[in-house]
Amino acid sequence: MTKKNLPRLLLGLALCCALTACKGSAVKEEADTLVQIDKYTLTRSEVTKLIPEGSSPADSLLIAENYIKKWITDVLIYKVAERNMGNGGEEIERLVEEYRQALLRQRYLDIMVHDKLSAQISEKDKQAYYREDSQRFVLKTNLIRGLFVKVPADAPGLDNVRKWYRSEKTDAVENIEKYSLSNAAVYEYFYDRWMDLDEVLQKMPIQVTDKAQFLRTNRAIETTDSTYCYFLNISRYVTAGSIAPYDYARPEIEETMINQRKVDFLRNFEEELYRDAVRKGDVTFFYDTKQDNNKKK
């Protein structure tokens, strides 16, 4: 694919996004096909999923071009290999089956271990771990709780928004939520959870060099550009270098405690599974296991 054809590709990808909203499945399936080699098909929807949200047109084109070229090359190599080696015979089938079994085992164990150990680790255990090893949870970024609203500059009732966004009272929050349903381009309520300050500031046309000082001196921030008004209320903050709040560190604490107990849990699980299968006669041995065990001793 040449650079000359890429604008046409991007247009096709954009058209695909519009077509996915249509209900005519037959039309959508035809329009979704991007590249085809014999029975192998690459769709526009597959490619669009790979493009990160917010990517520039140039970056989007580059990602799409590279992926399509790689897909075509992989299919062509596979076809050549298949023509010269057939389906790979028993060796390939054995490797595929071994990989399938290993993948299934690992996915099951990961899910099972996480579910079982999560249930075993109490909230009291997590809080104790946090108190005893709090230095482990030093923040590398600034955290805030609050509310963010992005409203078109010509939207009605901006004076009301200026009053509402500064307050955490229930009626003010309810008013701004109702207003945002029909007027806001972005509305984010996060009084009940921590967010990275950088993530929020990226949505606003402001530059902050000293973020710790910014947090100490600002609670209600309003700024505008030619298109939008931006409102940010900061109710609480924790600066980088501080100990992370427990509710923010809690997922990491749980994951750490699970990993610490994982080895012993799996060893016990495997031993119990083995003993139960042997005891129930689910495993048939074609050798004298007692004699074999005596040799090992």
Side-chain angles (χ1 to χ4, degrees):
M1 181 175 302
T2 64
K3 300 269 186 188
K4 189 186 249 182
N5 291 328
L6 285 177
R8 198 172 302 166
L9 165 62
L10 188 61
L11 177 60
L13 294 174
L15 287 173
C16 170
C17 295
L19 284 167
T20 53
C22 299
K23 294 183 178 179
S25 60
V27 174
K28 188 173 79 171
E29 285 177 9
E30 288 182 14
D32 199 37
T33 301
L34 185 63
V35 181
Q36 184 169 351
I37 303 175
D38 293 337
K39 62 181 180 180
Y40 305 101
T41 300
L42 177 66
T43 64
R44 290 182 174 87
S45 54
E46 289 177 84
V47 177
T48 54
K49 288 177 184 176
L50 298 168
I51 299 175
E53 187 177 347
S55 297
S56 68
D59 288 341
S60 299
L61 288 172
L62 185 60
I63 293 169
E65 179 188 40
N66 289 339
Y67 182 80
I68 292 168
K69 183 176 180 180
K70 180 70 167 57
W71 182 89
I72 291 172
T73 304
D74 285 347
V75 172
L76 293 175
I77 292 173
Y78 176 76
K79 285 173 62 63
V80 171
E82 189 177 42
R83 186 165 59 246
N84 287 280
M85 299 179 62
N87 61 9
E90 294 180 1
E91 178 66 10
I92 294 295
E93 292 299 322
R94 181 183 64 80
L95 292 172
V96 168
E97 179 59 20
E98 285 180 359
Y99 177 73
R100 189 193 71 81
Q101 291 185 18
L103 184 62
L104 188 59
R105 283 197 306 269
Q106 192 58 52
R107 290 192 65 181
Y108 170 74
L109 289 175
D110 287 344
I111 294 170
M112 186 267 295
V113 166
H114 196 277
D115 289 348
K116 295 282 187 182
L117 291 181
S118 291
Q120 292 178 13
I121 300 172
S122 68
E123 189 66 22
K124 186 178 179 180
D125 290 337
K126 296 171 194 172
Q127 291 175 359
Y129 185 92
Y130 175 74
R131 289 192 300 270
E132 293 166 6
D133 201 9
S134 60
Q135 292 300 319
R136 180 188 182 93
F137 305 105
V138 176
L139 288 171
K140 295 181 180 179
T141 186
N142 302 282
L143 302 179
I144 61 172
R145 286 190 176 193
L147 179 142
F148 173 70
V149 189
K150 175 181 175 182
V151 184
D154 58 354
L158 287 178
D159 287 339
N160 287 328
V161 177
R162 290 186 176 95
K163 292 185 293 184
W164 294 333
Y165 93 96
R166 293 171 176 267
S167 174
E168 297 176 43
K169 292 182 179 179
T170 303
D171 58 344
V173 173
E174 288 179 351
N175 284 332
I176 205 164
E177 283 181 349
K178 292 174 183 176
Y179 176 89
S180 296
L181 286 173
S182 54
N183 294 287
V186 177
Y187 170 73
E188 292 185 0
Y189 173 98
F190 53 99
Y191 285 124
D192 56 350
R193 58 190 171 89
W194 295 102
M195 286 191 67
D196 189 328
L197 173 64
D198 291 341
E199 183 181 335
V200 179
L201 291 180
Q202 285 174 1
K203 302 173 183 179
M204 305 177 69
I206 58 175
Q207 297 294 324
V208 178
T209 51
D210 189 338
K211 291 168 186 172
Q213 179 64 20
F214 173 82
L215 289 171
R216 285 191 288 267
T217 56
N218 290 279
R219 285 295 178 273
I221 302 98
E222 177 184 347
T223 187
T224 61
D225 56 23
S226 59
T227 311
Y228 292 100
C229 294
Y230 305 81
F231 304 94
L232 171 63
N233 181 35
I234 299 174
S235 64
R236 294 174 60 190
Y237 71 88
V238 186
T239 55
S242 304
I243 303 299
Y246 171 72
D247 53 347
Y248 181 80
R250 188 175 179 275
E252 183 182 347
I253 292 170
E254 181 174 302
E255 202 62 37
T256 301
M257 296 180 75
I258 286 174
N259 288 334
Q260 288 177 344
R261 303 181 186 192
K262 182 176 181 179
V263 174
D264 288 339
F265 178 85
L266 283 176
R267 181 169 57 246
N268 293 334
F269 169 76
E270 290 170 0
E271 283 293 330
E272 184 178 344
L273 189 68
Y274 177 86
R275 286 196 303 267
D276 285 351
V278 172
R279 179 175 53 81
K280 292 176 182 177
D282 294 336
V283 182
T284 303
F285 294 97
F286 293 92
Y287 65 95
D288 189 342
T289 56
K290 293 182 181 180
Q291 182 179 0
D292 189 62
N293 287 332
N294 288 332
K295 286 181 180 179
K296 289 179 181 178
K297 292 178 182 179

